[in-house]
Amino acid sequence: MIETVDSLEIAAEIDKRCKQAGKTIPVLIEVNSGREPQKAGVYPENARQLIEQISALEKYPRHGLMTMGL
């Protein structure tokens, strides 16, 4: 499982490599709910947009969210 997907670019790379390998891998969208600039993750208000953007990727099974709180 990959727990740190926070951009379309990362999701697309995972999708590409899964296609090449003929496999899928479960992933979590990383949400920076604490809004800490030193931590990775998409801010909560951008999470839905990211999920919608990556939903078209063929080998990209989303399993949930991983949040980074305070």
Side-chain angles (χ1 to χ4, degrees):
M1 175 174 279
I2 299 174
E3 300 177 348
T4 57
V5 175
D6 65 356
S7 72
L8 179 58
E9 292 78 22
I10 292 172
E13 185 66 24
I14 293 167
D15 185 66
K16 179 178 109 180
R17 291 181 185 229
C18 284
K19 284 178 188 175
Q20 290 171 346
K23 298 184 178 201
T24 59
I25 187 167
V27 298
L28 299 176
I29 306 298
E30 183 176 5
V31 180
N32 185 344
S33 58
R35 300 178 183 279
E36 297 179 69
Q38 71 275 19
K39 293 188 177 171
V42 63
Y43 284 161
E45 65 270 14
N46 298 324
R48 182 181 180 124
Q49 179 183 8
L50 177 59
I51 292 166
E52 289 173 354
Q53 288 174 333
I54 65 174
S55 66
L57 298 175
E58 183 179 322
K59 295 284 187 181
Y60 196 80
R62 291 156 306 282
H63 281 185
L65 303 175
M66 193 273 292
T67 64
M68 301 296 295
L70 295 173

